[in-house]
Amino acid sequence: MRFQLLGPLALADGPDVVVLQPSKPVILLAALLLHANSTVSADYLQRAVWGEDQPATARAALQTCVLRLRRLFTKHGVTGTSIEAVPGGYRITAGPPTLDLLGFRDQVRRATALVRDPEAELYTLKDALSLWQGSLLANVRSDVLHRDEVPRLSEERLRAVERVCDLLLGLGRCGEALVDLWTATRVYPGHERFHEQLIEALYRTGRQSQALAEYRRVKGFLLDELGVDPSPSLRQLELSILRGEDLGAGGAVRAAVEPAPAPASAPAPVPGPTSRDIQGAAVSLPAAAPGAGRVPAVPHFTGREVEAAAMAARLTAPPPPGADGQRPLTVLVSGAPGIGKSALAQHVAHLVRDSFPAGRLLVRMTRADGHPRTADEVAAEVGAALGPGRAGERALLVLDDVVDADQVRPLLTPPDLAVVVTSRMGLGGLIATHGGWVHRLTAFTEAESYALLLAALGTERVEAEPHEARQLAALCGHFPAALRILTARLLTRPGLRLGDAVDWLGDDPLARLTLTDSPDHSVSGLFDRALGRLDPRLSEAFLRIGAGPPELLGEAGIADGPEGPDGTKDHPPVPEDVLEQLADAGLLEDGPPGPYRIHDLLRAHLRRTVRIRNRRTEKV
């Protein structure tokens, strides 16, 4: 038999649980269990049962309550736990196996001893928190206990939840942390650490605008309800997000790409505020602190094993004989918008960190409005960031979202610099003039999509409905950006069955693949921004191709198709150079069938765009 105190007060015998009805003996039992194995004074017990205005017969009535509890124990077969009368009061004996509160505290102590093994500590704390079964002492009607004891117990639980979320963030499992943090911040709006963790988790899962909106929300609450400003750590977090800095393990603000750790024989670096923000987080440098270099991997990074291994091997391979003065090594990652280019580049930068002692820099090549930054502007800032005194040590430069080759060429001069370029464009001219390797990414395989769902949603949830999980991946077209948005939505609705999500998503995938509180994070918005970068004539041609029959992308187009009423072809063939430009922009994929094809989600978006435009024209 086991007493359950962490929720409604109950007796449990294996799977059988008896929730005790509210009564004065139940209040007495709760007061004794809250101080198990300690003497509880009769005066305190009387106040717990009857409040401050006690009847004259309170002491005799207390003895009656004790007798009733002992009968209750006998009725339910409680053994190993007894209520003893001791000088000055009463004492109940219990241990971790017979009282969930003691079991919880015992597990928390075990977790504290596992601080060097974060996975084991996390598992132990989650096991401890599983003992909490709902509203604390909901069936115990004592103002004294709810005033004096419940807040203290709640604080014990909050400390454990806070530590669990710290561990999840430190392990890079930010999406998993979001589930607990959404609830914690709403139930405890004045607990700033939970807000800080939630904002960090949102930002590190690619939801910058939502993270900033959450900061503004908590700032407003603190000012309106408490008349105080956010804590310094919350304000620093907002500043780091605005700068685009990476948030490292454990909530420490770190740079987007960190330098490798110094050798063991080198003197420890002196901590200092060396983080530099250039043009809206164009370049970030870290604070030189102990342990710097342990860049957290991209959250839930899955798939791309072949590409990641090949890139890492090329970036870390020794130079060929006589390579002095050779142009820097360049690796290009290209592909459609939302295909995962930036994630792969940053994941590889994390893998090869030890090979670049001079540091690793992440450079955003476009501004927030999508306009490209000039090559001279970026070159000057990168030169200042790297500094002159690298003494032959190699550095790694990640140029993210490059628009054209001219942005890159001025940066490919130092011989001890390795460069990873991500771009929607093929950048064949850059490869022709400067060499390098190209990795063109396509949609995930079925296995990679399933692995992402497992990593983001958790094994238990996905493997409970494996067929439905694969259906969801198929509805997303195995497109990484779509899968990320889907998992974000499902994480904020932990009670939604995957089978129900299949029906919900299947009704209108494009409309549903968006984050309602962060409209910028949507598949349609991603495609719209990509079309906005095209020359208007190229954009019109692409809309015509997407809205037309698939044969337009066949080997010979449909030049021999039927004529319209005015004698012109309904679907004239698309010039080869137009198709090549669209393929180079990452909007057409290699066939089959035919030499080109359009991803199903992108084709659906193009057709919807044309329908909306036609309706507007009809109204005019």
Side-chain angles (χ1 to χ4, degrees):
M1 188 66 68
R2 178 182 180 87
F3 292 98
Q4 291 185 347
L5 192 61
L6 302 179
L9 183 54
L11 293 173
D13 185 7
D16 299 322
V17 177
V18 177
V19 177
L20 301 177
Q21 294 300 310
S23 65
K24 287 180 172 55
V26 167
I27 297 173
L28 173 62
L29 177 60
L32 290 169
L33 289 172
L34 286 166
H35 301 276
N37 304 314
S38 300
T39 297
V40 186
S41 70
D43 288 341
Y44 179 80
L45 293 173
Q46 288 168 202
R47 281 190 288 113
V49 176
W50 287 282
E52 303 300 335
D53 297 326
Q54 301 171 26
T57 58
R59 186 168 294 274
L62 181 64
Q63 294 173 352
T64 301
C65 287
V66 171
L67 292 174
R68 289 176 61 186
L69 279 182
R70 287 171 175 162
R71 292 193 198 105
L72 179 72
F73 287 6
T74 301
K75 174 183 176 182
H76 289 284
V78 175
T79 58
T81 299
S82 61
I83 301 175
E84 304 173 77
V86 295
Y90 294 89
R91 179 176 61 206
I92 193 169
T93 56
T98 56
L99 177 58
D100 58 359
L101 174 60
L102 298 181
F104 169 75
R105 289 171 174 167
D106 185 60
Q107 286 288 79
V108 170
R109 281 193 293 270
R110 291 173 184 268
T112 303
L114 296 169
V115 67
R116 295 182 180 275
D117 186 346
E119 287 283 3
E121 183 184 359
L122 176 63
Y123 176 84
T124 305
L125 281 175
K126 284 192 168 186
D127 192 42
L129 287 168
S130 69
L131 296 173
W132 290 74
Q133 300 294 322
S135 183
L136 198 61
L137 301 184
N139 56 339
V140 177
R141 296 173 179 171
S142 168
D143 292 340
V144 171
L145 295 184
H146 282 276
R147 182 194 67 202
D148 298 342
E149 303 293 344
V150 168
R152 179 173 57 83
L153 287 186
S154 297
E155 188 60 32
E156 290 187 53
R157 179 180 177 274
L158 291 182
R159 285 201 299 268
V161 173
E162 185 179 305
R163 180 57 183 162
V164 163
C165 293
D166 274 338
L167 289 167
L168 289 171
L169 293 173
L171 292 166
R173 291 156 62 177
C174 302
E176 190 176 337
L178 280 173
V179 177
D180 291 329
L181 289 169
W182 280 122
T183 301
T185 52
R186 273 51 184 174
V187 175
Y188 305 99
H191 193 102
E192 288 190 64
R193 179 57 186 151
F194 282 145
H195 291 288
E196 190 176 338
Q197 291 172 318
L198 174 61
I199 292 166
E200 179 181 343
L202 288 169
Y203 177 65
R204 288 174 60 185
T205 51
R207 299 155 74 173
Q208 180 179 14
S209 60
Q210 193 173 354
L212 291 171
E214 183 65 18
Y215 174 82
R216 290 191 294 270
R217 194 190 70 80
V218 68
K219 179 180 179 181
F221 170 83
L222 292 172
L223 286 173
D224 295 341
E225 300 295 327
L226 305 177
V228 298
D229 291 319
S231 65
S233 58
L234 260 176
R235 296 199 299 270
Q236 177 60 43
L237 179 59
E238 182 208 24
L239 183 60
S240 299
I241 292 173
L242 290 171
R243 288 175 171 175
E245 295 176 356
D246 192 34
L247 304 183
V253 176
R254 296 173 183 252
V257 188
E258 296 184 282
S265 58
V270 179
T274 58
S275 180
R276 182 193 304 263
D277 173 64
I278 302 175
Q279 288 293 333
V283 180
S284 294
L285 289 176
R294 295 177 295 175
V295 182
V298 176
H300 308 310
F301 186 88
T302 55
R304 311 296 191 202
E305 287 91 351
V306 173
E307 294 89 344
M311 288 174 63
R314 284 164 178 158
L315 290 169
T316 58
D324 292 344
Q326 175 183 346
R327 288 185 178 128
L329 172 67
T330 304
V331 175
L332 169 63
V333 184
S334 65
I339 206 68
K341 304 179 292 295
S342 300
L344 175 61
Q346 293 185 52
H347 177 67
V348 172
H350 169 68
L351 293 178
V352 302
R353 60 194 181 279
D354 293 339
S355 298
F356 295 93
R360 295 164 292 140
L361 300 179
L362 173 65
V363 184
R364 309 288 185 188
M365 301 298 286
T366 55
R367 295 185 174 87
D369 60 5
H371 287 85
R373 306 178 67 223
T374 67
D376 291 343
E377 173 190 0
V378 174
E381 291 164 357
V382 169
L386 288 175
R390 299 206 308 275
E393 291 185 334
R394 298 185 75 206
L396 175 64
L397 195 61
V398 180
L399 304 179
D400 191 40
D401 200 15
V402 168
V403 174
D404 57 48
D406 289 339
Q407 270 191 309
V408 179
R409 289 192 178 100
L411 304 173
L412 303 183
T413 50
D416 52 357
L417 190 67
V419 181
V420 175
V421 174
T422 77
S423 178
R424 299 173 187 178
M425 309 301 294
L427 301 185
L430 178 70
I431 299 301
T433 58
H434 285 69
W437 286 269
V438 178
H439 296 274
R440 188 172 180 89
L441 303 184
T442 58
F444 276 161
T445 64
E446 290 185 15
E448 288 173 327
S449 295
Y450 192 78
L452 188 150
L453 294 177
L454 283 172
L457 300 178
T459 302
E460 181 178 351
R461 189 174 183 185
V462 173
E463 293 194 344
E465 300 178 83
H467 176 67
E468 289 77 7
R470 291 185 172 88
Q471 285 182 290
L472 287 172
L475 287 169
C476 289
H478 304 288
F479 201 71
L483 289 164
R484 292 286 182 184
I485 291 169
L486 172 68
T487 55
R489 295 206 67 169
L490 291 177
L491 281 168
T492 60
R493 299 180 65 184
L496 182 66
R497 294 178 57 256
L498 298 190
D500 294 332
V502 170
D503 298 333
W504 163 77
L505 181 61
D507 288 342
D508 192 348
L510 283 175
R512 302 285 162 74
L513 288 172
T514 183
L515 301 178
T516 54
D517 55 352
S518 181
D520 288 344
H521 290 85
S522 71
V523 170
S524 291
L526 180 70
F527 291 153
D528 277 335
R529 290 190 292 273
L531 292 174
R533 286 194 187 184
L534 293 178
D535 178 278
R537 289 173 296 180
L538 206 58
S539 178
E540 283 297 316
F542 191 46
L543 284 169
R544 183 165 65 87
I545 294 170
E551 291 81 0
L552 274 176
L553 295 176
E555 292 285 355
I558 51 174
D560 297 327
E563 293 183 352
D566 58 356
T568 61
K569 298 291 185 181
D570 283 345
H571 300 285
V574 180
E576 178 69 19
D577 67 313
V578 170
L579 295 176
E580 279 294 308
Q581 289 179 70
L582 291 170
D584 191 58
L587 297 173
L588 290 182
E589 303 174 354
D590 294 336
Y596 307 106
R597 59 186 170 87
I598 302 177
H599 190 278
D600 289 343
L601 279 179
L602 181 53
R603 184 182 286 279
H605 174 73
L606 294 172
R607 288 177 171 170
R608 171 175 287 188
T609 300
V610 170
R611 287 197 303 271
I612 292 172
R613 189 172 64 177
N614 289 343
R615 283 200 297 270
R616 289 174 180 165
T617 303
E618 290 168 5
K619 290 179 182 178
V620 173

